[in-house]
C-alpha cells in the first residue's frame, strides 16, 4: 500500500504541461450576455444581417431553455453573466503571411508544439490556429486553393463564402437543438470552415488548434465541414488551455455534412486543462458534434481521445440519412483525479442498409467519474441496417466510477443491433509481469492502457497517434490499481 | 550467484517457507522438486520480488546485493528472470512492443542507448530460429489467446531475448505434451552458459530427462529436506514423495 500512496502522490505533482499563459493584449467585450453584446460581436465581425438574425434568434430560444440535468456530472452553477463572450488577441488586420502575425502568438503555438512555420514546411498538415475567440492564421492556403478546397476561419467564410455558410449553418445542429448549442449559436466567435469540392480528395490533413488564453472567457467556436459528392477529407482538432483556478466554459459546435459518396473523418485530441487534483479549476466542456451522412454511400467517422477538461459533456453523433451510409465512433476517454466525463454517441439510422460502429474505451482513475452514454436508433425505414457497439471500461484504483448507459431503439424488424460491454481492472498480476521483465509500474500502466485503447488509437492519423499515446500515459501517470 | 540463508516466509500468518537455505553458483542448473503446496512457487515469487508475502526472517543475496531491498523491476534489470507458471495476458500489447520496452528499460538501467529497430528485429529473429518458434508469435498480443503450451514456450522465448543471468522456471513443464516439453528443454539447454544460472522448479521428474541438473533439491513442507545430484530425481520418481516424510521429520 505504501507504494500506492507514493505513486498517488506523484499524480498530484504531475503538472499540466500546457498550463502557461501568454501575456498578450486582448480586446474583450464586457462580461455578461444580452442582445447588445451579440450585436457587438456581430458588428466586430462585420457580419451580414442574416448572420445577426441567426444569432438573435438563437439567443431568444436559449433564454427559454433550461440547462440539461440528465448527465452524470456535478458542478457548481455556471454564472452565464460572469463570462466574457468575446476576447480576441489584438492584431494587425488579416495577416497576409506568418511574418505579419504577432510574434507572441506564434511563440504560444510554438510552445504548444504547433509551430505554424514548421507545420507548413514539414508535415504537410494544414493548420488553422484559434486563440481565444479568433482564428490566428491558417497555413497551407496555396496548396488547398489549387484543389478548390476552402479551409479558413469561420469569420472569413462568412465574408467570402456566405452562400455556403448560410446553406449549411444549423442544418445539422439546429439552433434550438440543446441548451449549449443555442448558446453557441448566439455567441460563437470563430472556428473553422471546410469545403471539399465534388470529386476532390483532400491531399493533406486539415488541422485546427484551439487555445483558450484569456481569463474569465468562454470559448464558443463553431466548425462546419462540408464534403461535396465523392470527396474525402481527414480533419483533426487539438485543444489546450492555461491552468487557472476558476472554471472556464467551452461550448462548441461541430457540424459535418457528407453528400453522396463523400467521406469525412474527424479526429479530436482533447486536452483542455482538467483542473488540479482537488478538482479546482479546469474547463467545462459542453460540446455538440454531429454529422449528417446526407447522400447515399456517404461516411462519417469520429475518433476522439479525451484526456482533458474538468467536465466533458460530448456526444459526437451521426445521422445516417443516405442509403448505405456509414457512421463510426471510436473513443478513448480518460478521467483522473476529480474529472467527470459523460460522453458517447448517437447513431440515428434513417436510410436503408446503413451501418454504424461504436467502439468506446473508458479509462477511469483517481476519484473520477467516467460515463458512456449512447443511443442507437433504427427508424422505421432503415431496413437491413446494422449497428455494432462495444463499450469497455477500465478501472484503475477503487475510488473511481465507470458507468454505461446504452439506449437502443429499434423501429423495424430487419435491422440488427449488437451491444457488447466489459469492465476490467489492470490487475496486479499484469503489473508484476511487466515489472518482472524490467518495466516499472508507471511505464507498465502506459503500456497496458495503450494496448487497451489500441483499436481506437489505430484510427487516428499516424502523426497524431504517437502524440495521443504519449498523452494517455501522461494523463494516467501514477494512478495504480 | 544466489545465496538464501534461513529464509522464513508467511502469508496471512501462515508459514510457508521455514528457515530455507539455498546456494546457487555461477553456471549451475538447480532443480527444485516437491509435491504441490510445499512452497516451490512461493520461493520463485520471493526471488522475483512479489510483495504479498511477509518475510519473517532470513536473507537473500544475489551477486552480493541484498535482494530483498530491491524492487521487482530492479531485480529484473540486474538479470533475474522468472518464467511464470501462469503467464498473464496483456491485450493489445504486441510481443514485439512488450519485449522491446523491457529490453530498452534494462539497457537504460545499465546506461546503454535503446536498441535500434534493426538490431532488435535481428535478435528476435535469431531467438525465434533458435527455439523453433512460429514467426507470427511476436506480432500477437502478450499471451492473448495463446494455448497453454504456447504460453510456456513464450516464457522461454522471452528468456532467450532478455538473456538473464539467473533464470527461474516455475513449473514450466506443467501442462505440456512431450513435444512442447522437448522444445522448452531444448531452449533451456541452448541458453545454458558458464556464467548463467538456472533454477528449474518442477513437480515431475520427466523434465529432468531433458534438462540435466547439476544439483537437485527436494522441497517439502517449507524446507529443503534433501539435496543431491541428478540421480536424486530418479530416486524420487521411483520411491515417491511419501518416502520423504521420513526425512522431513
Amino acid at each position: 500500500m505504501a507504494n500506492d500512496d507514493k505513486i498517488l502522490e506523484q499524480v498530484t505533482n504531475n503538472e499540466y504541461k500546457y498550463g502557461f499563459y501568454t501575456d498578450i493584449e486582448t480586446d474583450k467585450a464586457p462580461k455578461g450576455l444580452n442582445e447588445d453584446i451579440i450585436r457587438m460581436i456581430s458588428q466586430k465581425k462585420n457580419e451580414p444581417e442574416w448572420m445577426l438574425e441567426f444569432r438573435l434568434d438563437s439567443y431568444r430560444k436559449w433564454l427559454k431553455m433550461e440547462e440539461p440535468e440528465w448527465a452524470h456530472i456535478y458542478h457548481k452553477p455556471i454564472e452565464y453573466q460572469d463570462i466574457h463572450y468575446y476576447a480576441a488577441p489584438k492584431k494587425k488586420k488579416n495577416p497576409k503571411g506568418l511574418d505579419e502575425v504577432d510574434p507572441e502568438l506564434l511563440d504560444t503555438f510554438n510552445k504548444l508544439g504547433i509551430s505554424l512555420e514548421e507545420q507548413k514546411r514539414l508535415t504537410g498538415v494544414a493548420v488553422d490556429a484559434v486563440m481565444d475567440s479568433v482564428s490566428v492564421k491558417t497555413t497551407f492556403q496555396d496548396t488547398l486553393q489549387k484543389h478548390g478546397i476552402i479551409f479558413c476561419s469561420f469569420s472569413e467564410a462568412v465574408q467570402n463564402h456566405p452562400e455556403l455558410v448560410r446553406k449549411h449553418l444549423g442544418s445539422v445542429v439546429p439552433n434550438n437543438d440543446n441548451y449549449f448549442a443555442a448558446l453557441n449559436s448566439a455567441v460563437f466567435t470563430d472556428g473553422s470552415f471546410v469545403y471539399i469540392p465534388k470529386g476532390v480528395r483532400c491531399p493533406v490533413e486539415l488541422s485546427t488548434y484551439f487555445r483558450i488564453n484569456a481569463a474569465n472567457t468562454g470559448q464558443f467556436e463553431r466548425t462546419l465541414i462540408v464534403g461535396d459528392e465523392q470527396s474525402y477529407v481527414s480533419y483533426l482538432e487539438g485543444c489546450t488551455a492555461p491552468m487557472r483556478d476558476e472554471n472556464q466554459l467551452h461550448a462548441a459546435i461541430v457540424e459535418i455534412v457528407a453528400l453522396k459518396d463523400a467521406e469525412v473523418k474527424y479526429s479530436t485530441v482533447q486536452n483542455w486543462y482538467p483542473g488540479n487534483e482537488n478538482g479546482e479549476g479546469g474547463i467545462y466542456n459542453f460540446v455538440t458534434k454531429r454529422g449528417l451522412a446526407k447522400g447515399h454511400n456517404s461516411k462519417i467517422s469520429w475518433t476522439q481521445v479525451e484526456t482533458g477538461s474538468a467536465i466533458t459533456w460530448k456526444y459526437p453523433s451521426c445521422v445516417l440519412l443516405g442509403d448505405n451510409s456509414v457512421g463510426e465512433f471510436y473513443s478513448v476517454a480518460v478521467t483522473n483525479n476529480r474529472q467527470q466525463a459523460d460522453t458517447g454517441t448517437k447513431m440515428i439510422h434513417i436510410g436503408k442498409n446503413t451501418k454504424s460502429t461504436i467502439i468506446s474505451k473508458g479509462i477511469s482513475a483517481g476519484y473520477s467519474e467516467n460515463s458512456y452514454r449512447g443511443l442507437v436508433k433504427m427508424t422505421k425505414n432503415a431496413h437491413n441496417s446494422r449497428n455494432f457497439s462495444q463499450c469497455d471500461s477500465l478501472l484503475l484504483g477503487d475510488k473511481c466510477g465507470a458507468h454505461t448507459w446504452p439506449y437502443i431503439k429499434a423501429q423495424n424488424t430487419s435491422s440488427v443491433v449488437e451491444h457488447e460491454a466489459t469492465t476490467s481492472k489492470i490487475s496486479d498480476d499484469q503489473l508484476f509481469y511487466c515489472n518482472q521483465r524490467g518495466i516499472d509500474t508507471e511505464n507498465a500502466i502506459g503500456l497496458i492502457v495503450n494496448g487497451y485503447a489500441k483499436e481506437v488509437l489505430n484510427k487516428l492519423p499516424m502523426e497524431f497517434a504517437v502524440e495521443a499515446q504519449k498523452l494517455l500515459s501522461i494523463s494516467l501517470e501514477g494512478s495504480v490499481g | 550467484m544466489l545465496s538464501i540463508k534461513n529464509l522464513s516466509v508467511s502469508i496471512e500468518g501462515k508459514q510457508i517457507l521455514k528457515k530455507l537455505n539455498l546456494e546457487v553458483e555461477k553456471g549451475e542448473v538447480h532443480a527444485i522438486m516437491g509435491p504441490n503446496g510445499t512452497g516451490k512457487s512461493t520461493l520463485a515469487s520471493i526471488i522475483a520480488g512479489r510483495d504479498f508475502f511477509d518475510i519473517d526472517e532470513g536473507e537473500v543475496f544475489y551477486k552480493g546485493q541484498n535482494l530483498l531491498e530491491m524492487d521487482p523491476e530492479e531485480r529484473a534489470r540486474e538479470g533475474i528472470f522468472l518464467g511464470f507458471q501462469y503467464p498473464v495476458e496483456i491485450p493489445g500489447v504486441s510481443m514485439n512492443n512488450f519485449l522491446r520496452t523491457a529490453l530498452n528499460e534494462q539497457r537504460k538501467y545499465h546506461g546503454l542507448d535503446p536498441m535500434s529497430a534493426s538490431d532488435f528485429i535481428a535478435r528476435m529473429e535469431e531467438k525465434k530460429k533458435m527455439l523453433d518458434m512460429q514467426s507470427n508469435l511476436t506480432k500477437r498480443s502478450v499471451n492473448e489467446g495463446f494455448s497453454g503450451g504456447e504460453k510456456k514456450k513464450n516464457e522461454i522465448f522471452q528468456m532467450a531475448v532478455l538473456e538473464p543471468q539467473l533464470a527461474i522456471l516455475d513449473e514450466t513443464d506443467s501442462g505440456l505434451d512431450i513435444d512442447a516439453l522437448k522444445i522448452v528443454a531444448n531452449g533451456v539447454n541452448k541458453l545454458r552458459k558458464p556464467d548463467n544460472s538456472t533454477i528449474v522448479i518442477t513437480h515431475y521428474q520427466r523434465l529432468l530427462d531433458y534438462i540435466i541438473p547439476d544439483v537437485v533439491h527436494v522441497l517439502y513442507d517449507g524446507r529443503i529436506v534433501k539435496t543431491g545430484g541428478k540421480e536424486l530425481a530418479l530416486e524420487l520418481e521411483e520411491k515417491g514423495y511419501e518416502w520423504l516424510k521420513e526425512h522431513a521429520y
Side-chain angles (χ1 to χ4, degrees), chain B residues 2-245:
Chain B
L2 183 74
S3 172
I4 301 177
K5 294 194 172 81
N6 267 331
L7 184 67
S8 294
V9 169
S10 57
I11 182 164
E12 287 165 3
K14 190 178 176 249
Q15 213 181 5
I16 300 180
L17 296 182
K18 301 167 184 171
K19 290 185 180 294
L20 183 133
N21 290 288
L22 179 67
E23 297 286 332
V24 179
E25 299 298 332
K26 236 184 193 181
E28 289 179 348
V29 174
H30 287 230
I32 297 179
M33 302 184 68
N36 289 327
T38 51
K40 301 194 298 292
S41 288
T42 299
L43 179 60
S45 298
I46 290 285
I47 298 170
R50 196 86 217 228
D51 63 0
F52 48 59
F53 303 96
D54 295 318
I55 313 278
D56 300 322
E57 63 167 318
E59 292 174 313
V60 181
F61 286 95
Y62 167 69
K63 296 195 298 187
Q65 305 168 73
N66 184 349
L67 193 68
L68 299 178
E69 284 180 354
M70 292 158 73
D71 286 335
E73 58 270 28
E74 198 183 345
R75 301 180 194 199
R77 293 165 188 170
E78 285 288 349
I80 291 181
F81 178 91
L82 173 62
F84 285 78
Q85 185 176 4
Y86 303 108
V88 294
E89 300 187 357
I90 308 179
V93 178
S94 71
M95 280 307 301
N96 269 325
N97 189 9
F98 181 72
L99 277 176
R100 196 160 175 208
T101 307
L103 200 60
N104 284 334
E105 288 279 307
Q106 299 201 9
R107 288 173 67 91
K108 194 165 89 187
Y109 178 81
H110 294 286
L112 298 169
D113 287 335
M115 194 178 251
S116 75
S118 56
D119 286 352
F120 176 73
I121 292 166
R123 178 175 308 195
M124 296 288 272
E125 287 310 311
E126 178 207 329
K127 305 298 182 185
K128 274 191 265 189
K129 217 171 184 178
M130 177 196 228
L131 299 176
D132 204 10
M133 308 282 285
Q134 282 174 328
S135 62
N136 71 354
L137 170 125
T138 50
K139 292 198 178 96
R140 290 165 66 184
S141 295
V142 179
N143 294 320
E144 197 185 30
F146 283 33
S147 70
E150 281 175 326
K151 283 183 182 170
K152 296 298 176 71
K153 278 191 258 175
N154 192 24
E155 293 294 292
I156 301 301
F157 176 66
Q158 292 177 54
M159 177 172 105
V161 172
L162 296 173
E163 298 177 345
Q165 293 167 51
L166 174 64
I168 305 144
L169 305 177
D170 187 10
E171 306 252 3
T172 302
D173 53 333
S174 66
L176 291 187
D177 61 35
I178 198 71
D179 291 332
L181 190 75
K182 278 182 189 166
I183 291 172
V184 166
N186 186 32
V188 174
N189 289 332
K190 280 182 178 164
L191 295 166
R192 216 163 159 167
K193 283 181 195 153
D195 45 0
N196 292 349
S197 313
T198 310
I199 299 173
V200 180
I201 292 174
T202 182
H203 184 73
Y204 302 104
Q205 190 275 333
R206 60 171 194 168
L207 180 65
L208 304 180
D209 288 341
Y210 302 98
I211 302 173
I212 310 297
D214 299 303
V215 186
V216 175
H217 307 276
V218 180
L219 187 63
Y220 188 78
D221 193 27
R223 61 194 106 200
I224 288 173
V225 294
K226 204 166 173 56
T227 296
K230 57 180 193 279
E231 63 289 341
L232 178 58
L234 294 167
E235 196 177 352
L236 201 61
E237 178 84 350
E238 193 185 315
K239 296 183 180 169
Y241 286 116
E242 285 298 306
W243 162 69
L244 285 170
K245 283 186 183 169

Side-chain angles (χ1 to χ4, degrees), chain A residues 1 3 6 427-430 432-441 443 447-452 454, chain B residues 49-50 72-73 76-77 80-82 84 88-93 98 101-102 105-106 143 155 158 162:
Chain A
M1 288 323 281
N3 195 33
K6 190 177 77 195
S427 70
D428 290 346
D429 288 345
Q430 283 173 322
F432 183 70
Y433 194 79
C434 294
N435 291 158
Q436 211 299 306
R437 298 304 186 242
I439 304 168
D440 64 29
T441 302
N443 283 327
L447 198 67
I448 294 167
V449 165
N450 274 301
Y452 166 80
K454 191 161 136 192
Chain B
R50 196 86 217 228
E73 58 270 28
R77 293 165 188 170
I80 291 181
F81 178 91
L82 173 62
F84 285 78
V88 294
E89 300 187 357
I90 308 179
V93 178
F98 181 72
T101 307
E105 288 279 307
Q106 299 201 9
N143 294 320
E155 293 294 292
Q158 292 177 54
L162 296 173

